[in-house]
Amino acid sequence: MSRILVVEDEETLADAIQDVLQDAGFEVQVAHNGLEALRQLEAGTPDVLLLDLMLPLLDGRGLLTRMRSQEHLRELPVVVMTSASRKALADHPVGSFLQKPVTAAGLLKALKSVLPGAAGGGPTSPDAA
């Protein structure tokens, strides 16, 4: 079973995403801000990080910067799900980019595309289609 850390500050949305992912067979943890996510990442590395960019305490870009500076988190697949534009990622390559609002099908497709061993998985630049 693949483990996903969902980093989303909107509690209702985080709960809905957690339900969708658990129904699809994923093990899900939720963090509501970037600092909480860092603590959870230090306690154990998930298979995929589902990340909102606009977060309290430490935003998604700051979290990505800190992750990429740590050897054990550098290659962690990241799916960004945000209402911000793709340009907000600047020099932060991610596995997939989803513009909010997202559908359950779109979310599952993006996550499965970046899971280790998935066909077609792997990081893409923030400007990739």
PDB file of all heavy atoms in Angstrom, residues 6-39:
ATOM      1  N   VAL A   6      -0.565  14.283   2.601  1.00  0.00           N
ATOM      2  CA  VAL A   6      -1.342  15.371   2.036  1.00  0.00           C
ATOM      3  C   VAL A   6      -1.062  16.615   2.874  1.00  0.00           C
ATOM      4  O   VAL A   6      -1.263  16.599   4.087  1.00  0.00           O
ATOM      5  CB  VAL A   6      -2.860  15.056   2.063  1.00  0.00           C
ATOM      6  CG1 VAL A   6      -3.671  16.249   1.553  1.00  0.00           C
ATOM      7  CG2 VAL A   6      -3.159  13.802   1.255  1.00  0.00           C
ATOM      8  N   VAL A   7      -0.595  17.690   2.226  1.00  0.00           N
ATOM      9  CA  VAL A   7      -0.330  18.942   2.924  1.00  0.00           C
ATOM     10  C   VAL A   7      -1.313  19.977   2.385  1.00  0.00           C
ATOM     11  O   VAL A   7      -1.139  20.514   1.294  1.00  0.00           O
ATOM     12  CB  VAL A   7       1.135  19.404   2.725  1.00  0.00           C
ATOM     13  CG1 VAL A   7       1.418  20.607   3.628  1.00  0.00           C
ATOM     14  CG2 VAL A   7       2.116  18.267   3.001  1.00  0.00           C
ATOM     15  N   GLU A   8      -2.352  20.208   3.171  1.00  0.00           N
ATOM     16  CA  GLU A   8      -3.463  21.080   2.766  1.00  0.00           C
ATOM     17  C   GLU A   8      -4.010  21.765   4.009  1.00  0.00           C
ATOM     18  O   GLU A   8      -4.360  21.088   4.983  1.00  0.00           O
ATOM     19  CB  GLU A   8      -4.554  20.246   2.082  1.00  0.00           C
ATOM     20  CG  GLU A   8      -5.842  20.962   1.788  1.00  0.00           C
ATOM     21  CD  GLU A   8      -5.684  22.167   0.898  1.00  0.00           C
ATOM     22  OE1 GLU A   8      -5.213  22.027  -0.249  1.00  0.00           O
ATOM     23  OE2 GLU A   8      -6.035  23.271   1.355  1.00  0.00           O
ATOM     24  N   ASP A   9      -4.086  23.093   3.990  1.00  0.00           N
ATOM     25  CA  ASP A   9      -4.538  23.831   5.164  1.00  0.00           C
ATOM     26  C   ASP A   9      -6.057  23.950   5.276  1.00  0.00           C
ATOM     27  O   ASP A   9      -6.572  24.192   6.359  1.00  0.00           O
ATOM     28  CB  ASP A   9      -3.898  25.217   5.227  1.00  0.00           C
ATOM     29  CG  ASP A   9      -4.245  26.086   4.040  1.00  0.00           C
ATOM     30  OD1 ASP A   9      -4.303  25.568   2.904  1.00  0.00           O
ATOM     31  OD2 ASP A   9      -4.435  27.297   4.227  1.00  0.00           O
ATOM     32  N   GLU A  10      -6.773  23.758   4.194  1.00  0.00           N
ATOM     33  CA  GLU A  10      -8.235  23.805   4.251  1.00  0.00           C
ATOM     34  C   GLU A  10      -8.733  22.448   4.750  1.00  0.00           C
ATOM     35  O   GLU A  10      -8.699  21.455   4.034  1.00  0.00           O
ATOM     36  CB  GLU A  10      -8.820  24.114   2.873  1.00  0.00           C
ATOM     37  CG  GLU A  10      -8.464  25.504   2.372  1.00  0.00           C
ATOM     38  CD  GLU A  10      -9.008  25.768   0.990  1.00  0.00           C
ATOM     39  OE1 GLU A  10     -10.153  25.326   0.698  1.00  0.00           O
ATOM     40  OE2 GLU A  10      -8.294  26.398   0.192  1.00  0.00           O
ATOM     41  N   GLU A  11      -9.220  22.437   5.991  1.00  0.00           N
ATOM     42  CA  GLU A  11      -9.558  21.171   6.651  1.00  0.00           C
ATOM     43  C   GLU A  11     -10.613  20.360   5.905  1.00  0.00           C
ATOM     44  O   GLU A  11     -10.483  19.146   5.763  1.00  0.00           O
ATOM     45  CB  GLU A  11     -10.011  21.437   8.084  1.00  0.00           C
ATOM     46  CG  GLU A  11     -10.013  20.186   8.918  1.00  0.00           C
ATOM     47  CD  GLU A  11     -10.122  20.474  10.400  1.00  0.00           C
ATOM     48  OE1 GLU A  11      -9.644  21.523  10.858  1.00  0.00           O
ATOM     49  OE2 GLU A  11     -10.693  19.621  11.092  1.00  0.00           O
ATOM     50  N   THR A  12     -11.640  21.011   5.393  1.00  0.00           N
ATOM     51  CA  THR A  12     -12.696  20.303   4.666  1.00  0.00           C
ATOM     52  C   THR A  12     -12.136  19.638   3.419  1.00  0.00           C
ATOM     53  O   THR A  12     -12.444  18.478   3.125  1.00  0.00           O
ATOM     54  CB  THR A  12     -13.842  21.265   4.293  1.00  0.00           C
ATOM     55  OG1 THR A  12     -14.321  21.872   5.486  1.00  0.00           O
ATOM     56  CG2 THR A  12     -14.965  20.548   3.591  1.00  0.00           C
ATOM     57  N   LEU A  13     -11.303  20.357   2.683  1.00  0.00           N
ATOM     58  CA  LEU A  13     -10.688  19.800   1.484  1.00  0.00           C
ATOM     59  C   LEU A  13      -9.732  18.665   1.843  1.00  0.00           C
ATOM     60  O   LEU A  13      -9.714  17.629   1.183  1.00  0.00           O
ATOM     61  CB  LEU A  13      -9.959  20.892   0.692  1.00  0.00           C
ATOM     62  CG  LEU A  13      -9.282  20.457  -0.599  1.00  0.00           C
ATOM     63  CD1 LEU A  13     -10.265  19.764  -1.537  1.00  0.00           C
ATOM     64  CD2 LEU A  13      -8.640  21.664  -1.276  1.00  0.00           C
ATOM     65  N   ALA A  14      -8.935  18.854   2.891  1.00  0.00           N
ATOM     66  CA  ALA A  14      -8.011  17.806   3.331  1.00  0.00           C
ATOM     67  C   ALA A  14      -8.765  16.530   3.689  1.00  0.00           C
ATOM     68  O   ALA A  14      -8.350  15.425   3.329  1.00  0.00           O
ATOM     69  CB  ALA A  14      -7.171  18.296   4.509  1.00  0.00           C
ATOM     70  N   ASP A  15      -9.887  16.671   4.391  1.00  0.00           N
ATOM     71  CA  ASP A  15     -10.699  15.507   4.762  1.00  0.00           C
ATOM     72  C   ASP A  15     -11.265  14.811   3.524  1.00  0.00           C
ATOM     73  O   ASP A  15     -11.276  13.576   3.446  1.00  0.00           O
ATOM     74  CB  ASP A  15     -11.848  15.924   5.682  1.00  0.00           C
ATOM     75  CG  ASP A  15     -11.382  16.326   7.072  1.00  0.00           C
ATOM     76  OD1 ASP A  15     -10.218  16.034   7.441  1.00  0.00           O
ATOM     77  OD2 ASP A  15     -12.191  16.952   7.794  1.00  0.00           O
ATOM     78  N   ALA A  16     -11.740  15.603   2.555  1.00  0.00           N
ATOM     79  CA  ALA A  16     -12.301  15.020   1.329  1.00  0.00           C
ATOM     80  C   ALA A  16     -11.227  14.268   0.544  1.00  0.00           C
ATOM     81  O   ALA A  16     -11.464  13.157   0.059  1.00  0.00           O
ATOM     82  CB  ALA A  16     -12.928  16.115   0.467  1.00  0.00           C
ATOM     83  N   ILE A  17     -10.035  14.858   0.440  1.00  0.00           N
ATOM     84  CA  ILE A  17      -8.929  14.205  -0.269  1.00  0.00           C
ATOM     85  C   ILE A  17      -8.542  12.923   0.450  1.00  0.00           C
ATOM     86  O   ILE A  17      -8.326  11.883  -0.183  1.00  0.00           O
ATOM     87  CB  ILE A  17      -7.729  15.159  -0.385  1.00  0.00           C
ATOM     88  CG1 ILE A  17      -8.054  16.304  -1.350  1.00  0.00           C
ATOM     89  CG2 ILE A  17      -6.472  14.410  -0.832  1.00  0.00           C
ATOM     90  CD1 ILE A  17      -7.046  17.438  -1.321  1.00  0.00           C
ATOM     91  N   GLN A  18      -8.468  12.985   1.768  1.00  0.00           N
ATOM     92  CA  GLN A  18      -8.124  11.802   2.546  1.00  0.00           C
ATOM     93  C   GLN A  18      -9.127  10.679   2.283  1.00  0.00           C
ATOM     94  O   GLN A  18      -8.738   9.530   2.074  1.00  0.00           O
ATOM     95  CB  GLN A  18      -8.069  12.141   4.034  1.00  0.00           C
ATOM     96  CG  GLN A  18      -7.625  10.977   4.899  1.00  0.00           C
ATOM     97  CD  GLN A  18      -7.431  11.374   6.346  1.00  0.00           C
ATOM     98  OE1 GLN A  18      -7.912  12.414   6.805  1.00  0.00           O
ATOM     99  NE2 GLN A  18      -6.716  10.554   7.080  1.00  0.00           N
ATOM    100  N   ASP A  19     -10.417  10.996   2.272  1.00  0.00           N
ATOM    101  CA  ASP A  19     -11.450   9.987   2.005  1.00  0.00           C
ATOM    102  C   ASP A  19     -11.280   9.367   0.626  1.00  0.00           C
ATOM    103  O   ASP A  19     -11.339   8.144   0.465  1.00  0.00           O
ATOM    104  CB  ASP A  19     -12.854  10.601   2.125  1.00  0.00           C
ATOM    105  CG  ASP A  19     -13.235  10.934   3.564  1.00  0.00           C
ATOM    106  OD1 ASP A  19     -12.566  10.455   4.510  1.00  0.00           O
ATOM    107  OD2 ASP A  19     -14.205  11.704   3.730  1.00  0.00           O
ATOM    108  N   VAL A  20     -11.062  10.207  -0.396  1.00  0.00           N
ATOM    109  CA  VAL A  20     -10.893   9.707  -1.769  1.00  0.00           C
ATOM    110  C   VAL A  20      -9.684   8.780  -1.853  1.00  0.00           C
ATOM    111  O   VAL A  20      -9.750   7.685  -2.428  1.00  0.00           O
ATOM    112  CB  VAL A  20     -10.739  10.883  -2.764  1.00  0.00           C
ATOM    113  CG1 VAL A  20     -10.222  10.406  -4.118  1.00  0.00           C
ATOM    114  CG2 VAL A  20     -12.056  11.625  -2.925  1.00  0.00           C
ATOM    115  N   LEU A  21      -8.582   9.198  -1.254  1.00  0.00           N
ATOM    116  CA  LEU A  21      -7.352   8.409  -1.340  1.00  0.00           C
ATOM    117  C   LEU A  21      -7.451   7.105  -0.555  1.00  0.00           C
ATOM    118  O   LEU A  21      -6.981   6.058  -1.012  1.00  0.00           O
ATOM    119  CB  LEU A  21      -6.152   9.239  -0.879  1.00  0.00           C
ATOM    120  CG  LEU A  21      -5.844  10.464  -1.739  1.00  0.00           C
ATOM    121  CD1 LEU A  21      -4.639  11.214  -1.178  1.00  0.00           C
ATOM    122  CD2 LEU A  21      -5.627  10.081  -3.193  1.00  0.00           C
ATOM    123  N   GLN A  22      -8.060   7.157   0.618  1.00  0.00           N
ATOM    124  CA  GLN A  22      -8.226   5.927   1.397  1.00  0.00           C
ATOM    125  C   GLN A  22      -9.156   4.957   0.681  1.00  0.00           C
ATOM    126  O   GLN A  22      -8.891   3.751   0.663  1.00  0.00           O
ATOM    127  CB  GLN A  22      -8.744   6.249   2.800  1.00  0.00           C
ATOM    128  CG  GLN A  22      -7.667   6.852   3.678  1.00  0.00           C
ATOM    129  CD  GLN A  22      -8.172   7.286   5.043  1.00  0.00           C
ATOM    130  OE1 GLN A  22      -9.350   7.591   5.232  1.00  0.00           O
ATOM    131  NE2 GLN A  22      -7.256   7.344   5.995  1.00  0.00           N
ATOM    132  N   ASP A  23     -10.214   5.476   0.059  1.00  0.00           N
ATOM    133  CA  ASP A  23     -11.114   4.615  -0.712  1.00  0.00           C
ATOM    134  C   ASP A  23     -10.405   3.963  -1.890  1.00  0.00           C
ATOM    135  O   ASP A  23     -10.779   2.880  -2.322  1.00  0.00           O
ATOM    136  CB  ASP A  23     -12.329   5.404  -1.219  1.00  0.00           C
ATOM    137  CG  ASP A  23     -13.318   5.767  -0.110  1.00  0.00           C
ATOM    138  OD1 ASP A  23     -13.184   5.233   1.019  1.00  0.00           O
ATOM    139  OD2 ASP A  23     -14.206   6.604  -0.367  1.00  0.00           O
ATOM    140  N   ALA A  24      -9.364   4.640  -2.405  1.00  0.00           N
ATOM    141  CA  ALA A  24      -8.585   4.108  -3.528  1.00  0.00           C
ATOM    142  C   ALA A  24      -7.479   3.161  -3.051  1.00  0.00           C
ATOM    143  O   ALA A  24      -6.711   2.652  -3.868  1.00  0.00           O
ATOM    144  CB  ALA A  24      -7.992   5.246  -4.346  1.00  0.00           C
ATOM    145  N   GLY A  25      -7.367   2.959  -1.742  1.00  0.00           N
ATOM    146  CA  GLY A  25      -6.408   1.994  -1.220  1.00  0.00           C
ATOM    147  C   GLY A  25      -5.087   2.571  -0.742  1.00  0.00           C
ATOM    148  O   GLY A  25      -4.147   1.824  -0.455  1.00  0.00           O
ATOM    149  N   PHE A  26      -4.982   3.886  -0.631  1.00  0.00           N
ATOM    150  CA  PHE A  26      -3.746   4.507  -0.150  1.00  0.00           C
ATOM    151  C   PHE A  26      -3.788   4.674   1.367  1.00  0.00           C
ATOM    152  O   PHE A  26      -4.850   4.846   1.962  1.00  0.00           O
ATOM    153  CB  PHE A  26      -3.561   5.904  -0.781  1.00  0.00           C
ATOM    154  CG  PHE A  26      -3.330   5.880  -2.251  1.00  0.00           C
ATOM    155  CD1 PHE A  26      -4.351   6.209  -3.133  1.00  0.00           C
ATOM    156  CD2 PHE A  26      -2.086   5.542  -2.774  1.00  0.00           C
ATOM    157  CE1 PHE A  26      -4.145   6.196  -4.506  1.00  0.00           C
ATOM    158  CE2 PHE A  26      -1.875   5.525  -4.144  1.00  0.00           C
ATOM    159  CZ  PHE A  26      -2.902   5.856  -5.012  1.00  0.00           C
ATOM    160  N   GLU A  27      -2.618   4.647   1.972  1.00  0.00           N
ATOM    161  CA  GLU A  27      -2.458   5.018   3.374  1.00  0.00           C
ATOM    162  C   GLU A  27      -2.186   6.518   3.373  1.00  0.00           C
ATOM    163  O   GLU A  27      -1.286   6.977   2.671  1.00  0.00           O
ATOM    164  CB  GLU A  27      -1.280   4.259   3.987  1.00  0.00           C
ATOM    165  CG  GLU A  27      -1.045   4.546   5.433  1.00  0.00           C
ATOM    166  CD  GLU A  27       0.162   3.790   5.963  1.00  0.00           C
ATOM    167  OE1 GLU A  27       0.372   2.628   5.554  1.00  0.00           O
ATOM    168  OE2 GLU A  27       0.893   4.383   6.768  1.00  0.00           O
ATOM    169  N   VAL A  28      -2.955   7.279   4.143  1.00  0.00           N
ATOM    170  CA  VAL A  28      -2.894   8.739   4.058  1.00  0.00           C
ATOM    171  C   VAL A  28      -2.610   9.369   5.416  1.00  0.00           C
ATOM    172  O   VAL A  28      -3.211   9.003   6.422  1.00  0.00           O
ATOM    173  CB  VAL A  28      -4.228   9.306   3.523  1.00  0.00           C
ATOM    174  CG1 VAL A  28      -4.164  10.821   3.390  1.00  0.00           C
ATOM    175  CG2 VAL A  28      -4.598   8.670   2.193  1.00  0.00           C
ATOM    176  N   GLN A  29      -1.685  10.327   5.407  1.00  0.00           N
ATOM    177  CA  GLN A  29      -1.444  11.202   6.548  1.00  0.00           C
ATOM    178  C   GLN A  29      -1.725  12.616   6.067  1.00  0.00           C
ATOM    179  O   GLN A  29      -1.543  12.924   4.878  1.00  0.00           O
ATOM    180  CB  GLN A  29      -0.004  11.124   7.017  1.00  0.00           C
ATOM    181  CG  GLN A  29       0.364   9.822   7.694  1.00  0.00           C
ATOM    182  CD  GLN A  29       1.793   9.886   8.184  1.00  0.00           C
ATOM    183  OE1 GLN A  29       2.716   9.862   7.374  1.00  0.00           O
ATOM    184  NE2 GLN A  29       1.961   9.987   9.483  1.00  0.00           N
ATOM    185  N   VAL A  30      -2.132  13.493   6.984  1.00  0.00           N
ATOM    186  CA  VAL A  30      -2.451  14.865   6.628  1.00  0.00           C
ATOM    187  C   VAL A  30      -1.659  15.821   7.512  1.00  0.00           C
ATOM    188  O   VAL A  30      -1.536  15.606   8.716  1.00  0.00           O
ATOM    189  CB  VAL A  30      -3.968  15.146   6.784  1.00  0.00           C
ATOM    190  CG1 VAL A  30      -4.279  16.604   6.500  1.00  0.00           C
ATOM    191  CG2 VAL A  30      -4.775  14.243   5.858  1.00  0.00           C
ATOM    192  N   ALA A  31      -1.120  16.864   6.883  1.00  0.00           N
ATOM    193  CA  ALA A  31      -0.496  17.973   7.599  1.00  0.00           C
ATOM    194  C   ALA A  31      -1.205  19.238   7.141  1.00  0.00           C
ATOM    195  O   ALA A  31      -1.534  19.369   5.968  1.00  0.00           O
ATOM    196  CB  ALA A  31       0.994  18.052   7.280  1.00  0.00           C
ATOM    197  N   HIS A  32      -1.434  20.170   8.080  1.00  0.00           N
ATOM    198  CA  HIS A  32      -2.193  21.374   7.745  1.00  0.00           C
ATOM    199  C   HIS A  32      -1.333  22.610   7.538  1.00  0.00           C
ATOM    200  O   HIS A  32      -1.856  23.691   7.286  1.00  0.00           O
ATOM    201  CB  HIS A  32      -3.263  21.633   8.809  1.00  0.00           C
ATOM    202  CG  HIS A  32      -4.300  20.548   8.859  1.00  0.00           C
ATOM    203  ND1 HIS A  32      -5.262  20.397   7.887  1.00  0.00           N
ATOM    204  CD2 HIS A  32      -4.498  19.550   9.734  1.00  0.00           C
ATOM    205  CE1 HIS A  32      -6.014  19.358   8.172  1.00  0.00           C
ATOM    206  NE2 HIS A  32      -5.576  18.817   9.282  1.00  0.00           N
ATOM    207  N   ASN A  33      -0.013  22.463   7.630  1.00  0.00           N
ATOM    208  CA  ASN A  33       0.912  23.564   7.335  1.00  0.00           C
ATOM    209  C   ASN A  33       2.277  22.974   7.005  1.00  0.00           C
ATOM    210  O   ASN A  33       2.523  21.785   7.226  1.00  0.00           O
ATOM    211  CB  ASN A  33       0.977  24.577   8.489  1.00  0.00           C
ATOM    212  CG  ASN A  33       1.533  23.983   9.767  1.00  0.00           C
ATOM    213  OD1 ASN A  33       2.693  23.581   9.827  1.00  0.00           O
ATOM    214  ND2 ASN A  33       0.712  23.928  10.808  1.00  0.00           N
ATOM    215  N   GLY A  34       3.156  23.823   6.486  1.00  0.00           N
ATOM    216  CA  GLY A  34       4.458  23.340   6.051  1.00  0.00           C
ATOM    217  C   GLY A  34       5.346  22.825   7.173  1.00  0.00           C
ATOM    218  O   GLY A  34       6.076  21.853   6.993  1.00  0.00           O
ATOM    219  N   LEU A  35       5.278  23.449   8.338  1.00  0.00           N
ATOM    220  CA  LEU A  35       6.104  22.990   9.459  1.00  0.00           C
ATOM    221  C   LEU A  35       5.650  21.630   9.969  1.00  0.00           C
ATOM    222  O   LEU A  35       6.470  20.761  10.278  1.00  0.00           O
ATOM    223  CB  LEU A  35       6.108  24.025  10.585  1.00  0.00           C
ATOM    224  CG  LEU A  35       6.823  25.331  10.275  1.00  0.00           C
ATOM    225  CD1 LEU A  35       6.742  26.285  11.470  1.00  0.00           C
ATOM    226  CD2 LEU A  35       8.269  25.096   9.883  1.00  0.00           C
ATOM    227  N   GLU A  36       4.339  21.435  10.031  1.00  0.00           N
ATOM    228  CA  GLU A  36       3.796  20.131  10.429  1.00  0.00           C
ATOM    229  C   GLU A  36       4.219  19.063   9.413  1.00  0.00           C
ATOM    230  O   GLU A  36       4.585  17.949   9.779  1.00  0.00           O
ATOM    231  CB  GLU A  36       2.274  20.216  10.524  1.00  0.00           C
ATOM    232  CG  GLU A  36       1.604  18.964  11.020  1.00  0.00           C
ATOM    233  CD  GLU A  36       0.083  19.095  11.072  1.00  0.00           C
ATOM    234  OE1 GLU A  36      -0.444  20.221  11.055  1.00  0.00           O
ATOM    235  OE2 GLU A  36      -0.571  18.041  11.124  1.00  0.00           O
ATOM    236  N   ALA A  37       4.198  19.415   8.144  1.00  0.00           N
ATOM    237  CA  ALA A  37       4.635  18.483   7.102  1.00  0.00           C
ATOM    238  C   ALA A  37       6.105  18.108   7.282  1.00  0.00           C
ATOM    239  O   ALA A  37       6.471  16.936   7.165  1.00  0.00           O
ATOM    240  CB  ALA A  37       4.410  19.092   5.718  1.00  0.00           C
ATOM    241  N   LEU A  38       6.954  19.094   7.565  1.00  0.00           N
ATOM    242  CA  LEU A  38       8.376  18.804   7.792  1.00  0.00           C
ATOM    243  C   LEU A  38       8.561  17.829   8.942  1.00  0.00           C
ATOM    244  O   LEU A  38       9.361  16.893   8.850  1.00  0.00           O
ATOM    245  CB  LEU A  38       9.150  20.089   8.092  1.00  0.00           C
ATOM    246  CG  LEU A  38       9.792  20.813   6.934  1.00  0.00           C
ATOM    247  CD1 LEU A  38      10.529  22.048   7.423  1.00  0.00           C
ATOM    248  CD2 LEU A  38      10.720  19.915   6.140  1.00  0.00           C
ATOM    249  N   ARG A  39       7.839  18.038  10.030  1.00  0.00           N
ATOM    250  CA  ARG A  39       7.934  17.123  11.186  1.00  0.00           C
ATOM    251  C   ARG A  39       7.525  15.712  10.777  1.00  0.00           C
ATOM    252  O   ARG A  39       8.175  14.734  11.158  1.00  0.00           O
ATOM    253  CB  ARG A  39       7.075  17.616  12.345  1.00  0.00           C
ATOM    254  CG  ARG A  39       7.671  18.807  13.077  1.00  0.00           C
ATOM    255  CD  ARG A  39       6.944  19.088  14.385  1.00  0.00           C
ATOM    256  NE  ARG A  39       5.577  19.549  14.189  1.00  0.00           N
ATOM    257  CZ  ARG A  39       5.224  20.812  13.977  1.00  0.00           C
ATOM    258  NH1 ARG A  39       6.138  21.758  13.949  1.00  0.00           N
ATOM    259  NH2 ARG A  39       3.960  21.137  13.807  1.00  0.00           N
TER     260      ARG A  39
END
